[in-house]
Amino acid sequence: MATDADLRKLLYKVAKAYHDDGLTQQQIAIRLGLSRIKVSRLLRTARDERIVQISIASPQDSNADIERQLERQYGLKEALVVTCLTDDPVSIVDGLGVVAASCLTRGLQGDEVIALSWGTSVLSVVNALAPMDLPDVRVVQLLGGLGELEAQTHGADLARRMAQALGAKPRLIHAPGIVKDEIVREALVKDPQVADTLDLAGRADIALVGIGLFAPGSTLLSGGNTLTTAEVEQLKSQGVVGDIALQFFNEQGLKVDHPINRRIVGTDLEKIKAIPRVVGVAGGVEKVRAIRAALLGGLIDVLVTDDRTGEALLAAPESRPHGNQPAWGQSADDLQCTPDGNRG
């Protein structure tokens, strides 16, 4: 009959073989005459008994801890936090664009549909893209055009430029993002080209979006030709704090019902939310309220932001996000995985 000392010796031997020698569980099982399931249980016990104590060091000069806390607090799949040494909004957005571009492209397999919104944050990502050759990738607008056609932040220009950088195919919406009345909108969304493009956007694999601030000075409101003063005041009175692709949401990240929704030629907020990986790019402490609302509403899966904004989001009163599930912080038992997650 095995004693406690014998068991601890076996635990030590199995742990050393696995963690130091790099043997798989199956190789250890063959060497020691055990089943693979038994080896897995011994490794788990070794960790529970603190024979194995794992220490993970975060990279120097990184925001890994802030990222981890944001992922836990808001149920994000991933957070990427950029250190910004200036308060200059242009510099902050440029820094976010470089990181977001890497995040967007690192996992591309070559057959994805990428949907994107508009605005300065999305522009910064497009500007940072390195040339690629992905002819089967499709880049599609989430929303018809806003602002002047010549503007760099116009959705059609952004989609075209992203497709060019990726060597991909663009799918454009040849219509304004907001029209004068519901009748015009209904006619446009029934047009086969517009309908097919919006349908493709709703079935995208990845979405790249900015999180708009609903306040004076924002890209949306500064143009002066998108919303009337009366509409702005009505939306404010209904608690609007931000938008994603001209889909307005309140403090809890819920879509606000307003007649303007029936004038928008774009993808509905619930369809955007349902896209498997929605990457939100937004920074600057003035956007904390809008970003937090988007997080609480589960409107994005990945957040790319700056360190000051990240810290402000962590300092905000905790509320449970709805619509997304925490991807981090689960125990091995919750995940039903082997101790290293993959090296069976």
Side-chain angles (χ1 to χ4, degrees):
M1 185 174 182
T3 64
D4 286 345
D6 291 334
L7 176 59
R8 293 188 69 80
K9 184 176 180 180
L10 179 60
L11 291 172
Y12 176 81
K13 185 177 291 187
V14 169
K16 288 289 285 185
Y18 187 77
H19 292 285
D20 284 0
D21 299 337
L23 300 183
T24 67
Q25 294 180 26
Q26 186 62 36
Q27 289 171 325
I28 298 170
I30 293 171
R31 286 195 178 194
L32 299 181
L34 303 170
S35 69
R36 183 184 174 284
I37 294 175
K38 177 68 173 178
V39 172
S40 180
R41 288 174 180 167
L42 288 169
L43 286 168
R44 193 179 303 280
T45 302
R47 189 177 59 187
D48 292 342
E49 296 293 324
R50 301 191 66 77
I51 292 171
V52 173
Q53 300 182 41
I54 299 173
S55 176
I56 302 175
S58 64
Q60 289 186 344
D61 302 322
S62 80
N63 295 301
D65 290 338
I66 297 176
E67 293 169 350
R68 182 75 169 172
Q69 290 175 57
L70 285 169
E71 290 159 359
R72 286 176 176 270
Q73 184 163 323
Y74 291 104
L76 287 164
K77 290 180 179 176
E78 185 176 13
L80 294 164
V81 177
V82 181
T83 299
C84 291
L85 304 177
T86 175
D87 292 326
D88 176 42
V90 175
S91 297
I92 292 174
V93 171
D94 286 347
L96 300 184
V98 173
V99 173
S102 176
C103 172
L104 179 72
T105 58
R106 70 187 180 196
L108 292 179
Q109 300 299 306
D111 58 354
E112 292 87 354
V113 175
I114 303 173
L116 77 168
S117 60
W118 73 298
T120 55
S121 295
V122 176
L123 171 64
S124 73
V125 181
V126 173
N127 285 340
L129 287 171
M132 300 180 74
D133 183 21
L134 300 170
D136 294 327
V137 166
R138 288 171 289 177
V139 179
V140 59
Q141 289 175 255
L142 283 167
L143 173 72
L146 291 176
E148 299 296 330
L149 282 170
E150 297 80 9
Q152 287 186 309
T153 56
H154 193 280
D157 186 60
L158 290 171
R160 190 182 296 109
R161 288 180 56 203
M162 175 181 280
Q164 183 177 14
L166 298 179
K169 298 181 181 71
R171 285 287 299 272
L172 309 180
I173 300 175
H174 298 293
I178 183 168
V179 294
K180 67 176 183 177
D181 57 44
E182 186 176 352
I183 296 174
V184 175
R185 188 239 179 217
E186 286 301 311
L188 283 171
V189 297
K190 288 178 181 177
D191 175 83
Q193 190 276 335
V194 175
D196 288 349
T197 305
L198 287 174
D199 178 67
L200 181 64
R203 295 184 287 107
D205 302 290
I206 306 167
L208 174 68
V209 302
I211 300 174
L213 173 68
F214 199 73
S218 67
T219 304
L220 177 63
L221 300 187
S222 60
N225 59 355
T226 303
L227 303 175
T228 67
T229 302
E231 287 168 339
V232 171
E233 292 305 316
Q234 289 169 4
L235 288 165
K236 283 182 180 178
S237 69
Q238 289 185 247
V240 168
V241 298
D243 82 284
I244 289 176
L246 216 58
Q247 298 290 302
F248 299 102
F249 52 84
N250 63 16
E251 202 89 45
Q252 290 75 45
L254 302 176
K255 183 176 178 178
V256 172
D257 185 22
H258 186 275
I260 197 171
N261 296 335
R262 294 180 282 281
R263 293 170 45 210
I264 294 169
V265 181
T267 311
D268 185 76
L269 190 61
E270 287 302 313
K271 288 186 178 180
I272 296 174
K273 183 177 176 180
I275 292 172
R277 189 172 179 86
V278 181
V279 180
V281 185
V285 291
E286 70 279 357
K287 279 196 173 184
V288 168
R289 189 181 180 197
I291 297 170
R292 182 172 182 269
L295 294 175
L296 292 178
L299 304 181
I300 62 173
D301 305 297
V302 178
L303 173 65
V304 183
T305 193
D306 63 277
D307 51 345
R308 295 178 188 176
T309 302
E311 289 171 351
L313 288 167
L314 292 175
E318 288 201 31
S319 297
R320 183 178 179 181
H322 51 85
N324 54 1
Q325 296 297 322
W328 300 98
Q330 296 168 297
S331 68
D333 290 335
D334 294 333
L335 296 174
Q336 296 295 307
C337 64
T338 55
D340 67 342
N342 54 24
R343 198 157 44 92

